[in-house]
Structures are given as structure tokens and as C-alpha cells.
Amino acid sequence: MTQAETTSETKIYLPSDAFVANAAVSGMAAYEALCAKAEADYEGYWADLARELISWKTPFTTALDESNAPFFKWFADGTLNASYNCLDRNVERGLGDKTAIIFEADGGEVTKITYSELLAKTCQIANGLRSIGIGKGDRVVIYISMSIEGVAAMQACARIGATHSVVFGGFSAQSLRDRIEDTGAKAVITADCQVRGGKKLALKSIVDEALAMPGCEKIEKVLVVNRADAPVTMVEGRDVWMNDLTAGQATTCEPEWVSAEHPLFLLYTSGSTGKPKGVQHSTGGYLLHAALTTKWTFDLKADDVFWCTADIGWVTGHTYITYGPLALGGTEIVFEGVPTYPDAGRFWKMIQDHKVSIFYTAPTAIRSLIKAAEANDAVHPKSYDLTSLRLLGSVGEPINPAAWEWYYKHVGGSRCPIADTFWQTETGGHMITPLPGVTPMVPGSCTLPFPGIQAAIVDETGKDVPNGQGGILVVKKPWPSMIRTIWGDGERFVKSYYPADFQGKYYLAGDGAIRDAKTGYFTITGRIDDVLNVSGHRMGTMEIESALVSCTELVAEAAVVGRPDDTTGEAVCAFVVLKRPLPVGDEAKAIAKQLRDHVGKEIGPIAKPKDIRFGENLPKTRSGKIMRRLLRSLAKGEEITQDTSTLENPTILSQLGQAY
Ligand code: PRX
């Protein structure tokens, strides 16, 4: 039975005795022993785990190579193949007939694929890629929706040593172009369309649009999966149907054995400048942490049905769909659709139908489903049988205690521990998280570092701050699944993550955090740079500003800040100076729509500002710097208490008070 106890300050939730007894890491003493082992022999700790969880073609002799810090290398003289580890190895262990993926399409159709079948499919794609001249060291951009083909395409790239770069299907042609150019990819894998919320949304035509722009000249082939017979234009000599490419291919394919340091993938994420960063991950260290965290944080067992609701276009989908669960031989759900279609009970129905036992989603989804459930019993979790669940997870943004409690009670039946996992695209896998059979949980806190991760909170000079006092989140030692570099820009990598402020010694996460005075638990207090987190999606304020000012016929100047939002966590709020007189009423609304559409086109719908405010100028200091703090207060609707005496024209504050 789960016990919940109340102390004078915080409510603490304990995992049940039964859960603890069966957990991969069982009890606080076991956790502490792992941490102590890592403390005593850091390299030996990771090396032992790497030998236990990964099959190596050639064993490594050195765990960590710090000779070119902060470009750390792990297991560098070992060779392996990620796809072999995720597929062949499971078939060889006798799991060939086990279901690897249960795919549920937007419309509800279910397709299951076993490990043997997924291996065969992956091999056919891999052979197809080889047949068109793709091989080790080439980059392949994947622009596809949630599908078995998407996972298999990633696995196929890994199999032949090609580095994949998945671009989320919600990004625009312009964003896709930028990523294609930066990766220097030779091929794109896409589909005719994606189906979400009952609608067919184009993919292939967006690829066509991107490839028509300058910068994509290196693309030789576009492979097109036929998802739903949507009309597409196939360019002679360049575009090939995936089915035609794979039809005659053998269902076996010798893996390319690569160094542990070989780049498995590039994944673009937002930073504090306008240009997204191509985060480069390794093969060996990354796969180790993907497998290890799936084992320890998610406690994945042979008969579990695991469901991570993230998209493969984000890092969560990479680590906890394509790599982690498959590396352990698990059975997982891949879902094409959206949580609110055909109604907001979709997640609960799918948990019931597939007897999902481990469920991992984002606070934004939970918050929006709470609203829907409170308005309509039919889509409330209580209307479904969710007794198959034994563990829940949360990722991507802080989970507010009220949403945590609801998730715990109504989805987890007050029975399932919640792993509030803090991590980032750059970290490859979980960094700070409760382990379900170990950690007493406090809603809203991601609790303690994963064993071996040396997370700490420091001040601007790199000095440790005492518990109870907020500061800057850092990681003091390199870890196997960490970012290796920013693709093509080592200097930016060093500047962003190993800044001179900390003598280049600590990894800078970019988040603020505080440790509880008594328990030492971590709570993330939010980004300390110009990065917003909207619905768990990371966005740079400068990226959105650049998109706005690229609307040159209308926009003279723009500044973007975040403001709290009940559902999406943060919302994008844009302050815009137009090249025309200040609009009001319907005219302002129409221009705001035009600007939103423009941002949608430049970046993607997820970046569209929720609020747009117009002014004849932006509030600036005497030296001409935009007063962002003031903008944040305006965005929140707060009373302005800051000193505004330096403002050239204080009336702009009242202009900027109106959101469209
Ligand atoms: O601010 C933190 C927040 O999301 C950022 C990382 O975003 P991204 O690279 O897109 O990866 C998201 C999925 C791993 C972090 O810098 N974040 C992520 N998880 C949490 C979180 N904030 C609070 N609590 C979390 N559990």
C-alpha cells in the first residue's frame, strides 16, 4: 500500500513496499551504494555498466578520455552498433517473437511488430540506403511523423553508421531547410503526409519547398513513405518511394561497427542566439545511458508495456522510444495522434486497451487533460480501467504540485510512483530524477541526481551554494551520454556549456535550481538564459524575434519574452514596433494574425506568439538596451514597480498593455 505522510512543510509520497521490493534499484541504501561506487571509482563505475548493458564488437580499454576537455570521449576505442544492440541482440536472446512496438494510428488502427520483424524492416531500409550510396559518416535528415517506419529509419541509419537528424514534423520548410543545410545531409526520409487529429498534414510538399531554397544542394535522394496516399509530386531521379527502394532488399544487413564516439545523431535545439544548435550525440555513451535510465528510472521489466508519448522529433522520443526501451528488449507503444482526438480520453483509453504499465508524458499534456476531465466525466481517467499502470513519468518542464497530485491520484490511482525526470537534449538521458523504488517523492521536485551524475548548484563564480539557496545548475563531471559538440561549431559548444566563468570545468545546464535545506532535493526554477519552454518545447526568444523582424514590410523591431501560462507552462509574448502607425481594434487583431502566421511559416506553429502587443517604441534604457524585465512584468499583467524614469516616452507602457 502506498503511504503518504504530511510533514509540517511538504507532502512526501513513498513508493509501496511491493514496488520497492521488485524495483531494479531497490531502497535508498542501494541508491547510496551506487552513488558511493561512482564517487570512489568514477570511470570504473561507468565502465562496469557499459560492459553489462551494451554488447561491444571490440571491447573498450579506456572509459573516459579527458585529454581534449571539454570534448570528452567515452569508451572511444570500443566498437559497437546501436541497431545491433537494439534489435539483433534481442532476437539472439530469444525475443524474436516478442512485440517490440504496438503502433496505434491516429484513427485507432493498431499494428504490432515483433523484434524479428522490426529487425528485418530495419535491414531492408539499411540495405536500401546503402544501395543509393549512403554509408558511414553521411547525414540523413528524417522528417516524418510517429510511425514504425520512423523508428526503423532511425535504426537503419544507425545500422549503417549514417548520422540521423530527425526534424520534428511541426517545423516549417524554412526550419527544415536550415537543418538540412547545417547537417550537410545527403538524403531526406519523409512521408507523403502525417495524420493527426483526423487531418492529413503535408510532409513531402514541405520537403519540396525546403529543397527549393538555397542551401540544400547536397541532397541527392528523398525517400518517401506512403502513409495515406496523399497526393505528392515525385521529382525524377531524386525522389523514391520507400516501398520501391526496400521491396527487393535482403532482410539481413551486416551492421557497420563504429567507434563508441561515432556520432549517432544530431538533434537541433534552441539556444540563446537566433540559430538552433545541432547537438551531437555519440553511439556508445549515449546508448549506455538510454538503456541504463530506462532500466533504473523506468524499472522496465520483460512484461511491461511502456509508453512514452513524446514525438521522435524530440530527444525524449530518441532516448525513450527509439533507443532505450528497444535496447532492453521492451514492448512499447508508438502513437501517431494527439491526446485530444477523438476526445480528451484518448490517452486513458489507450492505456486501458494496451494495458500500459509505464506511462511517460509531459506536464502540459496532463494540465490540458485535467481541464478536459474536469469539464466532462466521460474523458476523466476514472471512466477507464487504468489498473495496468504501475509507474508514471513526467518530462520537459516543471510539473506544478497540483498537476502532480492529480496525475498521482487520478491516473496512477495513488499507487504509482511518479518519476519527474529532469534532463535536456544535451544530456541524452535523465540527470535528476526519483528512482521509483528508492526516492520519497515531493510534488514539483525532481529530487536527486541519477547515480553517477554529479549535479550541483553554484554561484556565478562556480562556488557551491548551500542548500536552501538558489543558484546555477551545473554538472561537475563529464558523463557518458553528454553532448559531444555542437555540429560544426566547437567554439559555440565550449562557450555555451563550459564557459570561462567556471574555469571551463563544469557543464552549464542553463537552468536555475535550488536544493531543499533539509532533504537536499533539487527543484528546477527555470532557464537562466533567453530560452522559453512552451508546452515542453524549447524555444529561443531571439529565434522568434528574428522571425518577426524578417516580416520586413511590417515590423521595425520586436522583443519576445515568456509569461506563465496555466496550460503550456510558459507562453510566448511578443512586443512589436510596426513600420506604420499604431493599430488598434480589428486592425491590430488582423496584423497580429498576420504576424503569427509569419512566425508559423518561419519556424513552425509551435513558435507562434500567444500574445502580441504593439507600441510606437519598446522601453529602453538610456544606452538603448531593451528593458526586458519590464516587458516580462507587462506580459504577466503585473503592476509596474520598476523605475521607468529613464524611459524616453512613458506612454508606450500603456500602449504595450493591450495584448492581441
Ligand atoms: O528547463 C529545463 C526543462 O527543459 C529544458 C530542456 O529542454 P529540452 O532540451 O527540449 O529537453 C526536454 C526533454 C528532456 C531544461 O533545460 N526541463 C526538462 N525536464 C524538466 C525541466 N524542467 C523542470 N523539470 C523537469 N523535469
Side-chain angles (χ1 to χ4, degrees):
M1 227 188 67
T2 305
Q3 312 142 30
E5 70 182 40
T6 310
T7 67
S8 55
E9 299 126 32
T10 33
K11 219 165 171 190
I12 297 175
Y13 292 81
L14 300 173
S16 70
D17 293 344
F19 197 103
V20 174
N22 291 310
V25 184
S26 173
M28 190 51 90
Y31 170 80
E32 283 169 353
L34 290 168
C35 295
K37 190 173 171 205
E39 192 75 34
D41 174 15
Y42 192 66
E43 288 187 44
Y45 167 83
W46 288 113
D48 286 351
L49 290 166
R51 288 189 197 101
E52 182 192 320
L53 285 161
I54 304 286
S55 291
W56 298 88
K57 181 71 172 171
T58 327
F60 57 87
T61 58
T62 311
L64 172 62
D65 174 357
E66 298 184 272
S67 58
N68 190 26
F71 299 92
F72 299 101
K73 292 181 180 165
W74 283 90
F75 321 119
D77 63 348
T79 64
L80 76 162
N81 182 279
S83 156
Y84 172 84
N85 270 273
C86 294
L87 302 174
D88 310 56
R89 188 168 62 147
N90 291 317
V91 174
E92 288 163 16
R93 280 175 186 164
L95 299 179
D97 292 334
K98 180 173 177 176
T99 301
I101 294 175
I102 302 168
F103 172 72
E104 183 163 317
D106 185 67
E109 309 81 12
V110 174
T111 315
K112 294 185 181 176
I113 186 163
T114 65
Y115 272 94
S116 296
E117 290 163 346
L118 185 59
L119 171 60
K121 195 177 190 71
T122 298
C123 287
Q124 286 187 306
I125 301 173
N127 288 328
L129 288 169
R130 277 187 177 152
S131 76
I132 55 167
I134 311 281
K136 185 176 169 189
D138 291 329
R139 273 82 58 204
V140 175
V141 164
I142 300 177
Y143 186 66
I144 204 166
S145 60
M146 293 291 286
S147 52
I148 291 173
E149 286 71 19
V151 175
M154 293 165 82
Q155 288 283 344
C157 288
R159 193 163 192 92
I160 61 170
T163 299
H164 58 70
S165 186
V166 184
V167 177
F168 174 60
F171 278 119
S172 66
Q174 181 66 46
S175 294
L176 178 61
R177 186 221 76 91
D178 295 348
R179 286 153 176 77
I180 289 172
E181 182 182 41
D182 198 69
T183 57
K186 263 167 94 172
V188 178
I189 299 177
T190 189
D192 54 339
C193 67
Q194 53 181 331
V195 187
R196 283 167 74 81
K199 292 193 203 92
K200 285 187 191 177
L201 307 170
L203 285 173
K204 170 64 166 66
S205 62
I206 295 174
V207 173
D208 293 341
E209 210 185 309
L211 294 186
M213 298 183 207
C216 300
E217 295 75 17
K218 291 197 179 128
I219 294 292
E220 293 168 12
K221 292 281 178 218
V222 177
L223 311 179
V224 189
V225 172
N226 184 2
R227 164 64 186 93
D229 292 324
V232 293
T233 314
M234 298 294 275
V235 175
E236 183 78 37
R238 185 193 75 183
D239 301 351
V240 185
W241 287 106
M242 183 64 97
N243 271 346
D244 293 342
L245 182 74
T246 55
Q249 301 293 346
T251 53
T252 56
C253 169
E254 177 62 16
E256 181 81 40
W257 304 104
V258 297
S259 152
E261 279 300 311
H262 183 72
L264 178 63
F265 66 88
L266 309 175
L267 188 58
Y268 284 79
T269 190
S270 296
S272 39
T273 71
K275 191 173 180 277
K277 311 187 260 201
V279 173
Q280 178 181 322
H281 277 289
S282 71
T283 302
Y286 170 80
L287 193 64
L288 165 62
H289 206 54
L292 181 66
T293 48
T294 305
K295 186 171 172 183
W296 287 358
T297 311
F298 292 133
D299 194 43
L300 189 77
K301 302 240 173 8
D303 52 0
D304 273 315
V305 177
F306 178 81
W307 184 13
C308 163
T309 68
D311 193 284
I312 50 169
W314 307 115
V315 74
T316 309
H318 282 60
T319 307
Y320 300 108
I321 294 176
T322 302
Y323 292 109
L326 296 180
L328 295 187
T331 295
E332 63 176 339
I333 307 279
V334 170
F335 174 46
E336 181 182 41
V338 297
T340 47
Y341 178 81
D343 61 39
R346 184 67 182 267
F347 276 2
W348 323 136
K349 181 168 186 318
M350 283 181 60
I351 292 170
Q352 170 181 280
D353 289 353
H354 302 297
K355 301 203 168 22
V356 172
S357 55
I358 306 171
F359 181 64
Y360 189 36
T361 196
T364 292
I366 298 164
R367 287 190 294 261
S368 70
L369 296 177
I370 292 175
K371 273 194 190 157
E374 283 176 350
N376 177 6
D377 265 0
V379 298
H380 194 286
K382 70 183 174 198
S383 304
Y384 299 83
D385 177 3
L386 305 185
T387 51
S388 57
L389 287 172
R390 65 182 195 89
L391 175 59
L392 303 173
S394 172
V395 61
E397 46 179 325
I399 178 162
N400 49 307
W404 194 103
E405 307 249 3
W406 189 90
Y407 194 30
Y408 184 77
K409 183 171 171 202
H410 295 289
V411 182
S414 302
R415 174 184 78 245
C416 306
I418 298 179
D420 174 2
T421 60
F422 167 83
W423 60 295
Q424 310 174 294
T425 305
E426 294 88 341
T427 70
H430 303 154
M431 298 298 279
I432 308 178
T433 177
L435 296 187
V438 170
T439 323
M441 291 158 287
V442 172
S445 167
C446 51
T447 75
L448 296 171
F450 191 84
I453 299 298
Q454 310 290 328
I457 302 179
V458 298
D459 65 17
E460 286 79 10
T461 64
K463 234 177 67 219
D464 284 296
V465 301
N467 287 358
Q469 200 175 304
I472 299 165
L473 181 65
V474 296
V475 186
K476 291 190 167 178
K477 281 189 180 168
W479 68 101
S481 65
M482 67 189 297
I483 173 175
R484 291 307 193 261
T485 186
I486 292 175
W487 179 252
D489 199 347
E491 210 175 301
R492 190 175 175 200
F493 164 74
V494 177
K495 236 171 97 187
S496 309
Y497 304 109
Y498 283 90
D501 318 29
F502 309 135
Q503 294 79 48
K505 282 207 307 233
Y506 298 161
Y507 169 84
L508 176 71
D511 282 289
I514 184 165
R515 296 188 77 160
D516 184 81
K518 266 201 245 151
T519 57
Y521 277 14
F522 287 75
T523 295
I524 306 298
T525 50
R527 297 289 304 191
I528 53 172
D529 53 11
D530 296 319
V531 169
L532 304 182
N533 191 326
V534 181
S535 302
H537 298 153
R538 208 165 129 177
M539 262 169 298
T541 52
M542 278 181 58
E543 249 177 291
I544 306 173
E545 286 165 9
S546 312
L548 283 165
V549 295
S550 76
C551 187
T552 48
E553 72 276 16
L554 274 177
V555 178
E557 198 177 8
V560 167
V561 299
R563 67 155 173 81
D565 182 275
D566 280 352
T567 305
T568 57
E570 267 187 304
V572 178
C573 185
F575 293 84
V576 178
V577 181
L578 294 172
K579 288 181 175 169
R580 39 166 297 160
L582 194 69
V584 287
D586 286 347
E587 193 192 3
K589 275 190 208 153
I591 296 177
K593 180 178 181 308
Q594 201 179 333
L595 292 179
R596 278 190 192 98
D597 290 346
H598 183 79
V599 173
K601 219 164 157 270
E602 285 293 306
I603 305 175
I606 48 170
K608 285 184 180 180
K610 184 151 185 180
D611 301 344
I612 297 186
R613 293 164 184 251
F614 299 105
E616 282 163 342
N617 203 343
L618 297 175
K620 288 180 189 151
T621 62
R622 285 226 172 92
S623 59
K625 259 184 89 176
I626 295 172
M627 298 168 79
R628 285 181 184 271
R629 253 188 340 150
L630 190 65
L631 293 183
R632 278 192 276 269
S633 299
L634 283 169
K636 277 192 214 162
E638 280 174 0
E639 206 182 308
I640 303 300
T641 53
Q642 288 106 323
D643 178 13
T644 54
S645 58
T646 56
L647 281 181
E648 255 172 63
N649 176 5
T651 57
I652 58 165
L653 289 185
S654 56
Q655 293 170 2
L656 293 168
Q658 175 70 44
Y660 293 96

